[in-house]
Amino acid sequence: MKDILVLDSVADAHEFLGLPKPSHPLVSVIRTTDIQFKELTESVRLRIDLFQIWMKEGADCEFGYGRSTYDFKEGTLAFIKAGQVITADNHEFNPKPDNYLLLFHPDLIRKSALSENIQEYGFFDYETDEALHVSEAERKALLDIIQKIEWEIQHPIDRHSQRLIVDSIKLFLDYALRYYDRQFFVRTNRNQEVVGKVEKLLQKFFESDDLIEKGLPTVKYLGENLNMSPSYLSDMLRKETGRNAQEFIHHALLEKAKNQLLGSTDPVSQIAYDLGFEYPQHFSKLFKSKTGLTPLEYRNQN
């Protein structure tokens, strides 16, 4: 297996991309037409310890990330969190002039509120085929923010610089969150199909011996079977049903539990084991947290 090349600083990334030394040690806005390499002659595996935001359109290049291959030919935005491994294959790299790559080191935001809330931007955990597609007006709004960050980086650093840059990055991410909500909304027919597939997948799981043999299904299990990242699936389900993926699993589980409580005389402990719980008290705790009643109280009231 080919060794992984680690890029753990903005300076390392600039050197790899054939660019001059960065103006700021922790953040960089790169116009992809400035990238020096024109062709990657062999497969390259990179671990980039930087957050990456790609604004791309019409670039004839592909990158592998997670389980997917990222095709740059469509106008999309990609969000890749620090520490991810990326592969680049034999493809020409011919981006348009207004394609940008924003890189920033985790240290840039470490002392800010953004560091504490970065997990709220779940799209950093999406697969590449779950990228954000934006309208021309939306792209221009995001491009304006990128260019303001670029302007700030190119000027001498003062005591305001870091806060202004971090605030601009947060603004960019907030707009991206809004546009992802719009993307979920306009794809509601397709998303409803996924909801149906999730329901069937859980029904099949609960009707098999998998509960006893494997325990409760996980969000990762659902994502793998639907070829979706757990984060994207969870966010999509929340938009469509009001429940995230974990809550969706618990709801399906509780519906089966209610049927068994009312449709049999089996002890609660046996029902808990049948539902994949190693310890019956864990089942009782979950049941009460969701219904306000213990399993026995629910059975007796109905």
Side-chain angles (χ1 to χ4, degrees), residues 106-136:
D107 284 350
L108 178 74
I109 65 172
R110 200 170 301 281
K111 294 182 180 180
S112 70
L114 180 57
S115 178
E116 298 176 3
N117 300 325
I118 193 71
Q119 70 277 359
E120 295 179 6
Y121 304 99
F123 41 75
F124 277 108
D125 291 312
Y126 291 174
E127 290 292 330
T128 54
D129 56 357
E130 298 157 353
L132 176 60
H133 294 253
V134 295
S135 69
E136 183 60 22

Side-chain angles (χ1 to χ4, degrees), residues 90-106:
N90 296 341
H91 292 279
E92 293 290 325
F93 189 71
N94 298 309
K96 289 186 176 182
D98 55 354
N99 286 353
Y100 287 82
L101 166 61
L102 171 62
L103 298 173
F104 63 95
H105 195 281

Side-chain angles (χ1 to χ4, degrees), residues 162-174:
Q162 186 157 330
R163 177 179 57 80
L164 290 170
I165 291 170
V166 171
D167 286 349
S168 294
I169 291 173
K170 182 181 183 303
L171 181 62
F172 188 101
L173 297 178
D174 285 340

Side-chain angles (χ1 to χ4, degrees), residues 25-56:
L26 297 177
V27 60
S28 181
V29 173
I30 297 169
R31 299 191 181 219
T32 53
T33 48
D34 293 337
I35 294 175
Q36 293 301 305
F37 61 77
K38 293 298 181 183
E39 184 176 1
L40 301 175
T41 57
E42 60 179 320
S43 180
V44 178
R45 300 179 71 226
L46 304 172
R47 194 192 80 207
I48 305 178
D49 293 340
L50 307 167
F51 286 94
Q52 304 166 61
I53 300 174
W54 290 85
M55 291 188 67
K56 53 203 178 301

Side-chain angles (χ1 to χ4, degrees), residues 247 250-251 253-254 258 277 281-295 297:
E247 291 168 340
H250 286 164
H251 175 75
L253 176 72
L254 290 173
K258 289 174 182 178
F277 287 87
Q281 59 267 35
H282 291 174
F283 165 64
S284 296
K285 183 178 180 180
L286 174 63
F287 193 95
K288 185 170 184 178
S289 70
K290 299 298 182 181
T291 67
L293 301 171
T294 67
E297 287 171 343

Side-chain angles (χ1 to χ4, degrees), residues 13 21 25 52-53 84 97 99 116 126 149 155 179 184 186-188 192 212 218 220 224 244 262 285 292:
K21 291 183 179 180
Q52 304 166 61
I53 300 174
Q84 298 304 295
N99 286 353
E116 298 176 3
Y126 291 174
I149 296 172
H155 285 71
Y179 298 155
F184 283 126
V186 300
R187 295 183 178 184
T188 188
Q192 284 297 327
I212 298 174
T218 63
K220 181 180 178 182
E224 288 175 348
N244 63 28
L262 300 183
K285 183 178 180 180

Side-chain angles (χ1 to χ4, degrees), residues 108-246:
L108 178 74
I109 65 172
R110 200 170 301 281
K111 294 182 180 180
S112 70
L114 180 57
S115 178
E116 298 176 3
N117 300 325
I118 193 71
Q119 70 277 359
E120 295 179 6
Y121 304 99
F123 41 75
F124 277 108
D125 291 312
Y126 291 174
E127 290 292 330
T128 54
D129 56 357
E130 298 157 353
L132 176 60
H133 294 253
V134 295
S135 69
E136 183 60 22
E138 292 168 344
R139 192 185 71 83
K140 287 180 178 178
L142 294 172
L143 186 59
D144 180 62
I145 300 172
I146 285 283
Q147 291 173 341
K148 286 179 179 178
I149 296 172
E150 182 182 38
W151 185 92
E152 191 65 44
I153 291 171
Q154 291 173 350
H155 285 71
I157 297 174
D158 59 32
R159 66 188 183 91
H160 302 285
S161 299
Q162 186 157 330
R163 177 179 57 80
L164 290 170
I165 291 170
V166 171
D167 286 349
S168 294
I169 291 173
K170 182 181 183 303
L171 181 62
F172 188 101
L173 297 178
D174 285 340
Y175 271 107
L177 197 60
R178 168 188 278 183
Y179 298 155
Y180 256 117
D181 283 348
R182 184 265 308 153
Q183 183 164 293
F184 283 126
F185 178 76
V186 300
R187 295 183 178 184
T188 188
N189 289 337
R190 176 179 176 271
N191 292 343
Q192 284 297 327
E193 291 179 4
V194 175
V195 172
K197 290 179 180 179
V198 172
E199 291 172 341
K200 290 180 181 178
L201 190 60
L202 289 174
Q203 182 180 1
K204 182 179 179 182
F205 191 98
F206 289 146
E207 290 177 352
S208 69
D209 294 329
D210 287 344
L211 270 173
I212 298 174
E213 296 175 0
K214 301 178 181 179
L216 293 175
T218 63
V219 179
K220 181 180 178 182
Y221 166 82
L222 295 178
E224 288 175 348
N225 278 270
L226 295 169
N227 197 30
M228 302 174 73
S229 70
S231 293
Y232 188 89
L233 175 61
S234 193
D235 288 345
M236 185 274 291
L237 287 174
R238 186 187 298 110
K239 296 296 187 303
E240 293 297 324
T241 69
R243 302 185 181 96
N244 63 28
Q246 189 64 58

